[in-house]
Amino acid sequence: MTGIEEIRKILRDLGIGEESLRDDARLRADLALDSVDLTQIQIELEDRFATHVDLWTAHDLTLGQLADAVGEPVPGAGAAREYRDRGWWRPEFLDDLVLGTGVHDGNRAALVGGGRTFTRAGLGAAVSGCAAGLSRSGVRPGENVLVQLPNRIQLVVLVLALIRLGARPVLALPSLREHELDTVLTALAPTALAVPARHRRFDHLGLAERLRERHPSVRTLLVTGATGPADGQVRIDDLTAAADPAPAEPAPAEPAAVDPAPSRAGVVEAVRSPSDTALFLLSSGTTGPPKPIARSHEALGHLVRVSAAASELTPESVFLAVLPATHAFAFCHPGILGTLAGGGKVVLAAPDDAVEAMALIERERVTHCALTPALARQWLTARAAAGTRDLSSLRVLQVGGARLDESTAAELADVFACRIQQVYGMSEGQLNFTRLDDPPEVAFTTQGRPASPGDEILVVDGEGRPVEDGEAGELLVRGPGVVTAYHGDVGAASFTADGFYRTGDLVRRHPSGNLVVAGRLKDVINRGGEKIPADELEALVLSHPGVRAAAAVAMPHRVLGEAVCLYVVGGDEGAAAPSLREIRTFLEGRGLARFKLPERLVEVPALPLTAVGKTDKAGLRADIAARVEAEA
Ligand code: AMP
């Protein structure tokens, strides 16, 4: 609906006849609207256009002038009031929700990692101290700061400190490289980059230096693990270790809608509002490199609360974070933030050491852990090697990010003697969980139902019409935790005009009411939970001089579920296509994240086409699946 149509609808609802609703009709002189009507119109306009027009002081506007003043309706703007009225969006800040100062016992352990343990009070003090240090280092409220750190205590402290300061952390997977980060830096112009000096044999500091040269917005590099920081570098270890000597401040008695911004422990805070962006996540995307997803305090706070409830997190819970903590599943769905908000303890570990994870479960009495199916399969192998370790504290294994098959789910439940909770969600903010009291056949074969009572779910066919119950269709979602646009309005095709997010996933409803993920419309390869948009990879492969055409498709993989198979047509004059090795080296040289590199390459004389002349990806997927099966 355009602006003027929306205004006509508001007036029609007030009882104004259709014949009067001309563009040049004046509100007071021609339509005889009284003061009560004008107030009502102002409220409706604020809801639908997220803008305020003062109809009292303005001269008598015509419909056309009013439409010019308000612009286009903002999808979801009207919903915000309902979300607040229903208590789904609350006037609280994410750092206050998570640190819950005064709500839980400050002497309880809250965060464990790298041989250190922070109590709740210690964590609160470290966050305040870090915020003060960031402030002294020149980080200002409203600035964006890219955070690309592995699962360490410093990551949690730094992100909460940035939020407290009113600066906006941008959470990036440590596996992202120049190709992806260039796009993110261009979109968000961060003033600082937080990186490890080195991580997994990769020189992150070197990459950060190169990015700083290309992106003038970047003033400061915040570094962990560096010995002698150079100019323009700040040691995160100093910021996070030197907890401010001032004790953790008491929680405000009643969270205010607008923080009056007293200086906490020496931090000059911005005047913050719960509707402000608290942090940015990055979409794993349907097309192209990652897109920024702005998460407000109130929307993310809602997701943290409802997902923690669905996971039955309590003050006794101990969450083991093994998935990369800069991804939403481990960070805030409910993960680290949900556990801390509930008063529980978070244990940080590296993703690829399942044996170490078992040792941590025993030592820290872990109750909850979130895994991808690929990691879950590694855990099954590691369990045998872990021998007699006591894992009896484990209550819930959450598995998501990719589809978990029924037999692995049943085996996990049996081997780990705990509940299996399937999680189907997305960084865009719609989260489904099987519930812990779902019977095993439901928990093992479905991907859950919305955690938020406010979520609207549509399952539609290619024309956008709802399908019959039980049939597969694309999932469209809208709700208090779901974004209605990407930051900067990129990727607008991912949202409908009325603010639903098009997931690109095919789902059907199970008789239990839960959703089953039945497939995918989007051209993405889901490599063990890490997503690879095919178009992004193909565009880079095509820039190789020895390649005339390329198509990336998912190939079945025993452990990862899916891996990338690249079909290529060689260069001109019958020249052979580059080898898999050459292509991988080439792509890495172009700064592509390593998890996106193809695992297999098949040279073909031409790519097969569908009847309408598109690359026949379904045919290629069937081809590689048949080859893999024949080889097995
Ligand atoms: P991300 O934003 O990185 O969390 O990726 C979200 C996407 O991962 C979803 O749109 C799905 O395509 C996929 N996904 C997440 N969880 C599951 C699941 N449990 N089963 C199948 N696919 C999933």
Side-chain angles (χ1 to χ4, degrees):
M1 215 185 275
T2 63
I4 189 95
E5 286 165 0
E6 192 76 56
I7 290 168
R8 286 206 178 91
K9 182 168 182 304
I10 295 170
L11 293 169
R12 246 182 263 121
D13 291 347
L14 284 173
I16 310 289
E18 194 66 45
E19 66 290 351
S20 311
L21 298 176
R22 300 179 323 271
D23 283 12
D24 61 352
R26 285 168 300 172
L27 296 178
R28 276 176 269 172
D30 298 325
L31 302 182
L33 296 172
D34 64 17
S35 62
V36 178
D37 296 329
L38 292 179
T39 305
Q40 183 67 31
I41 293 170
Q42 259 178 214
I43 292 171
E44 298 292 340
L45 292 176
E46 273 174 33
D47 251 17
R48 295 165 201 218
F49 295 85
T51 188
H52 178 77
V53 183
D54 189 347
L55 297 176
W56 294 96
T57 54
H59 68 280
D60 198 4
L61 295 174
T62 65
L63 260 59
Q65 288 168 331
L66 187 55
D68 288 344
V70 293
E72 290 302 308
V74 176
R81 190 165 52 132
E82 187 196 345
Y83 297 159
R84 292 188 186 110
D85 287 350
R86 303 190 69 153
W88 294 332
W89 284 4
R90 296 188 187 164
E92 67 192 345
F93 297 104
L94 206 53
D95 47 321
D96 292 332
L97 169 69
V98 168
L99 294 170
T101 348
V103 179
H104 302 288
D105 177 2
N107 293 319
R108 286 179 65 124
L111 188 60
V112 179
R116 282 200 294 168
T117 299
F118 276 49
T119 61
R120 292 192 72 81
L123 178 61
V127 168
S128 295
C130 183
L134 285 165
S135 208
R136 282 193 298 275
S137 307
V139 178
R140 297 274 161 266
E143 292 181 349
N144 299 332
V145 175
L146 184 95
V147 180
Q148 199 193 16
L149 294 175
N151 292 10
R152 308 250 168 80
I153 279 190
Q154 291 94 327
L155 164 72
V156 180
V157 175
L158 180 71
V159 169
L160 290 173
L162 287 165
I163 294 173
R164 173 152 291 179
L165 194 60
R168 306 179 309 182
V170 182
L171 304 190
L173 291 174
S175 55
L176 298 186
R177 294 288 177 267
E178 232 147 328
H179 176 71
E180 295 85 12
L181 294 176
D182 261 331
T183 316
V184 175
L185 264 59
T186 304
L188 292 172
T191 57
L193 311 179
V195 295
R198 284 188 78 76
H199 177 59
R200 296 189 167 191
R201 306 186 310 279
F202 184 74
D203 177 12
H204 281 269
L205 185 53
L207 170 58
E209 293 283 16
R210 288 198 298 283
L211 289 170
R212 174 157 67 168
E213 272 168 31
R214 283 207 296 280
H215 296 272
S217 66
V218 180
R219 294 191 304 266
T220 313
L221 301 184
L222 305 166
V223 190
T224 63
T227 37
D231 245 13
Q233 289 177 15
V234 174
R235 276 169 48 93
I236 299 176
D237 308 75
D238 293 342
L239 293 177
T240 54
D244 198 281
E249 67 287 350
E254 183 76 16
V258 174
D259 193 337
S263 169
R264 294 194 226 200
V267 183
V268 182
E269 284 182 28
V271 174
R272 301 187 296 170
S273 158
S275 60
D276 289 347
T277 296
L279 56 83
F280 287 97
L281 299 171
L282 297 177
S283 81
S284 52
T286 47
T287 54
K291 301 176 189 66
I293 302 171
R295 305 288 24 215
S296 68
H297 292 270
E298 43 192 6
L300 195 54
H302 173 70
L303 282 184
V304 167
R305 272 184 272 108
V306 294
S307 59
S311 311
E312 299 189 9
L313 287 167
T314 70
E316 311 313 319
S317 299
V318 181
F319 177 79
L320 178 65
V322 288
L323 289 175
T326 45
H327 185 270
F329 189 19
F331 195 70
C332 50
H333 292 167
I336 296 171
L337 296 195
T339 306
L340 292 175
K345 179 172 85 173
V346 170
V347 180
L348 299 165
D352 49 2
D353 194 343
V355 174
E356 166 70 6
M358 312 277 131
L360 283 170
I361 294 173
E362 183 179 58
R363 196 180 80 204
E364 300 291 340
R365 307 300 296 153
V366 169
T367 61
H368 286 67
C369 184
L371 299 173
T372 57
L375 214 48
R377 284 179 207 112
Q378 290 175 23
W379 274 41
L380 284 172
T381 314
R383 178 65 186 107
T388 55
R389 280 209 185 283
D390 173 11
L391 309 186
S392 60
S393 58
L394 202 56
R395 253 197 89 216
V396 185
L397 272 183
Q398 300 182 311
V399 187
R403 172 77 193 264
L404 177 68
D405 61 284
E406 183 180 356
S407 65
T408 306
E411 196 180 344
L412 282 169
D414 183 41
V415 167
F416 289 96
C418 68
R419 297 266 160 201
I420 302 306
Q421 181 169 50
Q422 297 210 40
V423 184
Y424 160 52
M426 53 225 72
S427 305
E428 285 79 1
Q430 204 273 323
L431 305 179
N432 306 285
F433 291 75
T434 55
R435 299 305 197 265
L436 298 183
D437 57 0
D438 277 344
E441 66 273 17
V442 174
F444 296 169
T445 60
T446 76
Q447 281 64 59
R449 54 187 177 277
S452 170
D455 277 353
E456 296 168 74
I457 294 281
L458 296 175
V459 185
V460 301
D461 64 17
E463 266 76 59
R465 289 180 306 244
V467 298
E468 294 288 324
D469 227 16
E471 277 185 23
E474 185 182 10
L475 176 69
L476 308 187
V477 290
R478 186 167 71 175
V482 190
V483 284
T484 51
Y486 289 118
H487 178 76
D489 273 337
V490 291
S494 295
F495 301 90
T496 67
D498 43 5
F500 279 84
Y501 170 60
R502 298 180 206 272
T503 63
D505 294 321
L506 284 173
V507 305
R508 61 184 168 75
R509 275 194 195 278
H510 185 264
S512 63
N514 283 6
L515 295 172
V516 173
V517 181
R520 198 179 309 146
L521 286 172
K522 54 193 173 191
D523 196 4
V524 166
I525 297 135
N526 190 336
R527 184 185 185 277
E530 294 190 290
K531 319 299 184 312
I532 304 160
D535 67 336
E536 183 191 23
L537 181 57
E538 289 159 3
L540 274 184
V541 172
L542 278 175
S543 67
H544 188 292
V547 174
R548 205 147 24 112
V553 294
M555 149 178 95
H557 190 285
R558 205 166 31 89
V559 177
L560 298 167
E562 292 176 14
V564 178
C565 175
L566 193 64
Y567 283 81
V568 290
V569 181
D572 293 334
E573 292 162 22
S579 67
L580 176 63
R581 202 149 160 264
E582 276 175 82
I583 280 287
R584 286 171 64 97
T585 309
F586 172 77
L587 292 172
E588 226 185 322
R590 303 298 298 262
L592 188 71
R594 295 193 79 219
F595 71 84
K596 297 180 180 172
L597 301 180
E599 245 94 9
R600 183 162 178 165
L601 184 142
V602 179
E603 186 176 356
V604 283
L607 293 177
L609 298 180
T610 63
V612 293
K614 288 187 180 176
T615 305
D616 181 8
K617 292 229 163 159
L620 291 176
R621 275 191 290 272
D623 177 65
I624 191 60
R627 287 176 195 240
V628 169
E629 197 180 332
E631 287 159 8

